Amino acid sequence: MASASPCACGAPTLSLRCPVALSLPFASFPPAVRLAAPPLLPRRLAVSRQRAASALEALVLESDDLDEDGYEEEEEAGEGLFQGEAWAAAAEERDAVRSPELRVFELEELPEKWRRSRIAWLCKELPAYKHSTFTRILNAQRKWITQDDTTYIAVHCLRIRNNDAAFRVYSWMIRQHWYRFNFALATRVADCLAREGKVEKCREVFDAMVKQGQVPAESTFHILVVAYLSVPGCRCLEEACTIYNQMIQMGGYKPRLSLHNSLFRALVSKTGGTAKHNLRQAEFIYHNIVTSNLAVHEDIYVGLIWIHSYQDVIDRDRVQALRDEMKRVGFEETTDVLVSLMRAFSKEGDIKETEATWHRLLKSGCELPAQAYICRMELYARTGEPMKSLEMFKEMKGQNVPPNVASYHKIIEIMAKAREIETAEKLMDEFVESHMKHLMPAFLSLMYLYLDLNVHEKLQQTFTKCLGRCRPNRILYTIYLESLVRIGNVTKAEEIFSEMHKNGTIGTNAKSCNIMLRGYLSAEDYQKAEGIYDLMCKKKYDVPVDSLEKLQSGLLTKKKVVKPPKPVSMKLDEEQREILIGLLLGGTQIESHSQKGVHIVNFKFQEDSNAHSVLRAHIHERFFEWLPSAFRSFSDDSEVPYRFSTIPHAHFGFFADQFFLKGQPVLPKLVHRWLSPRVLAYWFMFGGFRLQSGDIVLKVSGGNIDGVERIVSSLQTQSLTCKVKRKGRFFWIGFPGSNADSFWKIIEPYVLDSFTGSTVQENYSIGSEGSQDSDADYEDDTRRYDTETEE
């Protein structure tokens, strides 16, 4: 069944889809911090550098000297996520979420002059260095430095607004044997990092507080939610909701109205088909506003009704309760509300209520939205009057309301289901001539019509036409495969099935395997049918009883017996092992199970990345037999979640031991032996991208300089020259110029078709965890990977 295009699914108008309005009452440090400006030394002291352990380390160390001061100046000049925002300045607002008091000594209070001088020198020198030199200097002070000293240095870096330097000092401090958890310092570091948009670093400190059994301060919760909401493209909306829920349930805090409203607007900023899954979270926000005795804004009511209207089963009582509440507080039902009501009523086939709401919309004198006409089309299609739906479509054009993509999808779908073949073809031609995009749902509706009517010649023509205009998908190929089997063209069907199986972008599933099994059985080719049956058993696909009986009967004539699927020890094949290694290098996570020696692979893909959208369906198909039943029953690729996990199995223990140490990602010692073309291809697709210049960049998840050196040496044996740079906890491997072309030639046979035509991948398509590594300066990661940057 064709679905409406996301770009025209009738989302609320500008009042609901405006940028998130943030109220950030944390512009200055609380007066509790008592810190005198240190008497810094007048000249810079020389620090001898350690000799590089290898040529690769020398490359990384050399870049410490390049643009060292220039980059710091650029960082200072650049605006963070919250700079320029209208931060609330009222004292009572700041006090409401004030962070815990942090007290540090004043420098003149120290009795030892040498200690004062050294601390002052560190305060002056450390912020100017990159990560490697920064850590080396701190390591050289281990004999005398204490936690109070490092706390002073960290707070000094915060005062001069060098939050990255403060985070590096804090990270170094917590690894020392004398460290005792300092909740106030952790809170201050987390708050400052979140204000600057360093959400992953802030989350790292936040999680450390939770592991210590501490409940983070309200300020930390508040600022971290705002930071997640400020990440471009709503990539971190789920994380923002998680922190918001913890703020209430774990912290017992009562967020301010601005935070409720900001998160709610982010939830309804998505298109309707996606936003419908946010109903529970939206209702939770509404409940918190009401129970906190805060004023419920009109947009909250409008947004809730809007989300309810997209649910598969309409909760009419809840919708009516929201309407009554709106009326009680004096809010009028706007155009958005009326269209949402029409959508809800039309789904239930309620002609009376839908038409009554339509007349209210006409009387309001507003500009009639196309979505209102679509609701009426759907209404009459549900009540068995498809020609009336066609009249609605023609009326829409007669009222000078330009038909959009969603309206064409809907009317073609309705005409196809009504088997009005000439009308559907005419509308399809009109749709194609309009030069609008997203033609695939309409093509599929037309192909389903031809399949039902057994018009296989037109179906083949439509299939060819669709391939010329749209990106192929599994549904398209499955319909064509079914058509070929029905007309008995098993040879062509075998070619199409083989193409589906080899093409990772398309792939095969239980339905396509069953179709091919029926084709072989109808052609009495029992040997090939047995091969498909074995494949289905391996993938744990369901085999229909009638097909199994036919296969059994056919093989009995050849004195062969079909062996029922028996439980065997599961084992990853070579392709699955290589795919998994590539994904692990890009950032896929493995976690241990409660059962000793058993592990689970967590696949996580970015929702707003077209590349990851294709990759998730491919990985779901390739690892189908390793997935629990909850992640196996999807009839459509679009239903495959962006996060899914495998069953717990001991077979993943090897990869967990190689790629993780104490829960942290590392590079295996033998990683240089595993870099096959397929591994590199999946590493690129999951954790890499092309730059606009054509260069290719790979992000290394975990590992140290030695592990990266082994990777580089292995790549050099394949005549691939690359550059290595470091940013924070991650290394970047870049292939500039002609080396990018050489790298692409190696991986191209294993790269999915949807990636082949792309010259520049989305900036955030860098793996499950990498997307949150310093989101504010992610563009620096992509555009300046050949310049060493600080952590």
Side-chain angles (χ1 to χ4, degrees):
M1 182 176 183
S3 59
S5 170
C7 66
C9 57
T13 52
L14 188 61
S15 62
L16 281 179
R17 299 177 63 82
C18 61
V20 176
L22 305 177
S23 175
L24 305 172
F26 312 105
S28 60
F29 291 103
V33 179
R34 300 187 297 106
L35 184 61
L40 301 177
L41 297 183
R43 65 177 181 272
R44 183 168 179 164
L45 301 182
V47 179
S48 60
R49 303 178 61 136
Q50 297 179 356
R51 185 172 60 87
S54 63
L56 179 61
E57 185 175 358
L59 174 65
V60 176
L61 293 178
E62 179 185 359
S63 61
D64 283 338
D65 295 329
L66 300 176
D67 298 329
E68 199 168 77
D69 297 326
Y71 182 76
E72 294 291 345
E73 293 175 1
E74 183 178 343
E75 280 286 287
E76 281 292 314
E79 290 190 355
L81 288 178
F82 300 114
Q83 292 184 14
E85 294 284 352
W87 288 36
E92 60 274 13
E93 291 187 351
R94 290 197 301 270
D95 293 342
V97 286
R98 176 178 292 177
S99 57
E101 182 176 328
L102 173 62
R103 293 189 178 277
V104 296
F105 61 81
E106 295 184 6
L107 204 58
E108 58 269 19
E109 294 176 358
L110 294 177
E112 306 100 328
K113 182 177 179 181
W114 65 269
R115 185 181 292 273
R116 293 200 302 269
S117 298
R118 287 194 177 187
I119 294 176
W121 176 78
L122 289 172
C123 288
K124 178 181 179 181
E125 295 297 309
L126 283 177
Y129 285 106
K130 307 298 179 184
H131 174 71
S132 55
T133 306
F134 193 103
T135 303
R136 208 159 35 242
I137 292 175
L138 284 175
N139 287 339
Q141 319 304 317
R142 283 176 173 169
K143 291 184 179 180
W144 64 270
I145 203 165
T146 66
Q147 181 164 342
D148 288 340
D149 300 333
T150 49
T151 299
Y152 181 94
I153 298 170
V155 174
H156 170 78
C157 293
L158 293 176
R159 293 192 68 198
I160 65 174
R161 297 184 180 180
N162 194 329
N163 298 326
D164 282 335
F167 177 74
R168 286 198 293 270
V169 173
Y170 176 81
S171 299
W172 181 86
M173 174 173 42
I174 64 177
R175 294 194 297 269
Q176 307 311 308
H177 66 88
W178 39 254
Y179 174 72
R180 296 296 179 269
F181 182 72
N182 187 332
F183 178 68
L185 177 62
T187 299
R188 186 60 43 78
V189 172
D191 289 358
C192 292
L193 289 170
R195 287 195 193 100
E196 196 174 318
K198 311 286 186 180
V199 290
E200 195 204 3
K201 293 176 180 177
C202 174
R203 185 64 180 272
E204 185 178 328
V205 180
F206 178 92
D207 291 340
M209 285 190 274
V210 175
K211 289 180 180 179
Q212 289 289 335
Q214 300 281 349
V215 177
E218 184 177 0
S219 63
T220 308
F221 279 107
H222 186 116
I223 301 175
L224 185 54
V225 172
V226 171
Y228 275 131
L229 291 178
S230 301
V231 174
C234 292
R235 286 186 284 129
C236 297
L237 178 58
E238 184 176 345
E239 298 294 341
C241 292
T242 299
I243 299 300
Y244 170 87
N245 296 342
Q246 289 180 346
M247 182 179 186
I248 296 168
Q249 297 167 349
M250 180 175 70
Y253 300 120
K254 292 186 177 181
R256 290 124 61 71
L257 182 59
S258 60
L259 189 65
H260 294 299
N261 289 339
S262 297
L263 184 58
F264 189 89
R265 288 194 183 98
L267 290 174
V268 299
S269 66
K270 292 192 172 186
T271 55
T274 306
K276 73 176 185 179
H277 302 296
N278 297 329
L279 176 61
R280 173 179 285 185
Q281 184 68 46
E283 287 282 9
F284 183 61
I285 295 174
Y286 172 80
H287 170 77
N288 292 326
I289 295 175
V290 172
T291 55
S292 300
N293 295 320
L294 299 173
V296 182
H297 194 272
E298 181 181 6
D299 285 352
I300 302 293
Y301 292 115
V302 176
L304 270 177
I305 295 175
W306 180 74
I307 295 178
H308 270 285
S309 70
Y310 274 100
Q311 301 305 306
D312 296 329
V313 178
I314 304 298
D315 188 347
R316 182 173 284 205
D317 292 338
R318 179 58 182 155
V319 172
Q320 187 58 47
L322 290 170
R323 295 177 65 190
D324 293 340
E325 184 64 20
M326 282 187 69
K327 185 177 181 180
R328 187 184 67 79
V329 296
F331 292 139
E332 296 290 336
E333 293 184 344
T334 61
T335 301
D336 285 323
V337 174
L338 295 177
V339 173
S340 297
L341 293 176
M342 287 187 64
R343 185 183 300 111
F345 295 143
S346 64
K347 282 187 175 183
E348 295 183 333
D350 192 332
I351 298 178
K352 181 179 178 181
E353 291 291 347
T354 305
E355 289 295 342
T357 309
W358 168 255
H359 288 301
R360 287 184 59 192
L361 198 60
L362 292 176
K363 292 180 181 178
S364 67
C366 67
E367 184 177 346
L368 295 175
Q371 187 62 39
Y373 286 98
I374 295 174
C375 292
R376 297 182 75 198
M377 293 180 208
E378 184 173 7
L379 169 69
Y380 289 108
R382 285 180 179 273
T383 56
E385 300 180 78
M387 299 315 294
K388 254 192 170 180
S389 299
L390 182 61
E391 292 177 12
M392 298 299 108
F393 182 77
K394 293 179 179 178
E395 179 184 334
M396 178 175 62
K397 293 194 292 185
Q399 295 294 328
N400 294 324
V401 179
N404 55 14
V405 174
S407 60
Y408 271 112
H409 286 172
K410 180 57 64 177
I411 193 61
I412 293 174
E413 175 191 344
I414 292 171
M415 292 296 102
K417 287 184 177 180
R419 298 194 174 187
E420 296 289 340
I421 188 169
E422 293 183 2
T423 305
E425 289 175 343
K426 182 179 179 181
L427 289 168
M428 188 69 216
D429 292 339
E430 183 181 317
F431 188 23
V432 172
E433 292 173 0
S434 69
H435 301 292
M436 295 182 186
K437 296 183 179 180
H438 306 293
L439 300 172
M440 178 62 77
F443 274 122
L444 294 180
S445 296
L446 207 56
M447 289 180 67
Y448 276 124
L449 170 61
Y450 294 143
L451 187 64
D452 291 341
L453 298 177
N454 293 318
V455 187
H456 298 286
E457 184 177 348
K458 284 191 174 182
L459 188 148
Q460 182 177 357
Q461 294 173 356
T462 306
F463 173 79
T464 305
K465 188 184 299 184
C466 184
L467 287 182
R469 294 179 177 270
C470 307
R471 179 184 297 173
N473 62 21
R474 188 181 300 168
I475 300 176
L476 178 70
Y477 271 80
T478 302
I479 298 173
Y480 184 44
L481 185 68
E482 176 69 32
S483 173
L484 292 172
V485 169
R486 286 190 183 182
I487 62 177
N489 192 348
V490 180
T491 303
K492 182 64 175 178
E494 188 175 13
E495 293 178 8
I496 294 298
F497 183 82
S498 178
E499 182 180 346
M500 293 172 65
H501 190 69
K502 292 178 180 178
N503 191 330
T505 305
I506 303 170
T508 55
N509 58 4
K511 186 174 183 179
S512 55
C513 287
N514 273 306
I515 293 173
M516 200 65 242
L517 179 60
R518 284 193 287 105
Y520 286 135
L521 292 175
S522 63
E524 298 184 353
D525 191 340
Y526 297 109
Q527 183 176 357
K528 291 182 178 179
E530 188 178 13
I532 288 290
Y533 173 76
D534 291 339
L535 172 64
M536 297 177 70
C537 291
K538 176 187 174 183
K539 285 290 185 180
K540 296 184 178 179
Y541 293 150
D542 294 330
V543 182
V545 177
D546 57 340
S547 296
L548 190 58
E549 291 176 350
K550 288 181 181 179
L551 179 60
Q552 180 74 62
S553 175
L555 291 178
L556 282 175
T557 60
K558 297 186 178 182
K559 299 182 180 180
K560 293 183 66 177
V561 179
V562 178
K563 297 180 181 179
K566 58 181 179 179
V568 294
S569 177
M570 294 184 65
K571 185 178 180 181
L572 290 167
D573 58 34
E574 181 180 358
E575 179 183 359
Q576 290 172 328
R577 289 196 299 271
E578 291 187 343
I579 291 174
L580 188 55
I581 292 172
L583 297 182
L584 289 169
L585 287 171
T588 292
Q589 299 291 310
I590 296 181
E591 65 179 40
S592 58
H593 192 255
S594 56
Q595 182 180 349
K596 188 176 181 180
V598 176
H599 293 81
I600 298 173
V601 181
N602 294 320
F603 297 108
K604 178 181 177 183
F605 303 93
Q606 299 300 322
E607 292 189 32
D608 55 347
S609 167
N610 291 330
H612 274 211
S613 179
V614 174
L615 187 61
R616 90 186 195 283
H618 170 66
I619 298 300
H620 183 271
E621 185 265 326
R622 285 294 187 259
F623 287 84
F624 189 87
E625 68 270 28
W626 293 93
L627 303 180
S629 57
F631 293 123
R632 291 162 59 93
S633 55
F634 300 109
S635 58
D636 188 353
D637 288 347
S638 62
E639 298 177 4
V640 176
Y642 282 85
R643 294 185 182 185
F644 53 89
S645 304
T646 64
I647 57 175
H649 202 278
H651 200 69
F652 300 121
F654 170 79
F655 298 95
D657 295 339
Q658 294 292 322
F659 284 91
F660 293 91
L661 178 63
K662 295 181 180 179
Q664 297 301 318
V666 296
L667 288 176
K669 292 183 179 180
L670 297 178
V671 66
H672 56 288
R673 299 185 181 179
W674 301 342
L675 299 180
S676 66
R678 181 182 278 115
V679 169
L680 294 175
Y682 281 88
W683 184 7
F684 164 74
M685 289 188 288
F686 187 73
F689 47 86
R690 279 184 183 270
L691 307 181
Q692 292 182 351
S693 62
D695 298 349
I696 290 177
V697 178
L698 300 177
K699 189 169 188 176
V700 184
S701 178
N704 53 25
I705 195 72
D706 295 329
V708 177
E709 183 180 27
R710 288 192 290 269
I711 293 178
V712 171
S713 298
S714 177
L715 293 173
Q716 287 176 345
T717 61
Q718 303 181 50
S719 301
L720 292 173
T721 303
C722 56
K723 293 183 178 181
V724 178
K725 301 301 168 187
R726 182 173 187 169
K727 183 173 179 65
R729 298 181 292 111
F730 296 95
F731 287 93
W732 294 84
I733 298 178
F735 301 89
S738 60
N739 293 295
D741 297 332
S742 301
F743 180 80
W744 181 258
K745 288 180 182 178
I746 291 176
I747 68 172
E748 187 174 11
Y750 301 98
V751 174
L752 303 183
D753 288 348
S754 59
F755 288 81
T756 304
S758 302
T759 56
V760 180
Q761 297 296 331
E762 296 92 343
N763 281 351
Y764 39 82
S765 299
I766 57 174
S768 59
E769 297 301 325
S771 64
Q772 298 172 13
D773 175 53
S774 187
D775 298 86
D777 33 78
Y778 177 72
E779 291 186 2
D780 291 332
D781 290 351
T782 60
R783 293 188 302 201
R784 297 190 290 110
Y785 71 93
D786 56 342
T787 300
E788 177 71 24
T789 55
E790 84 273 23
E791 182 176 353

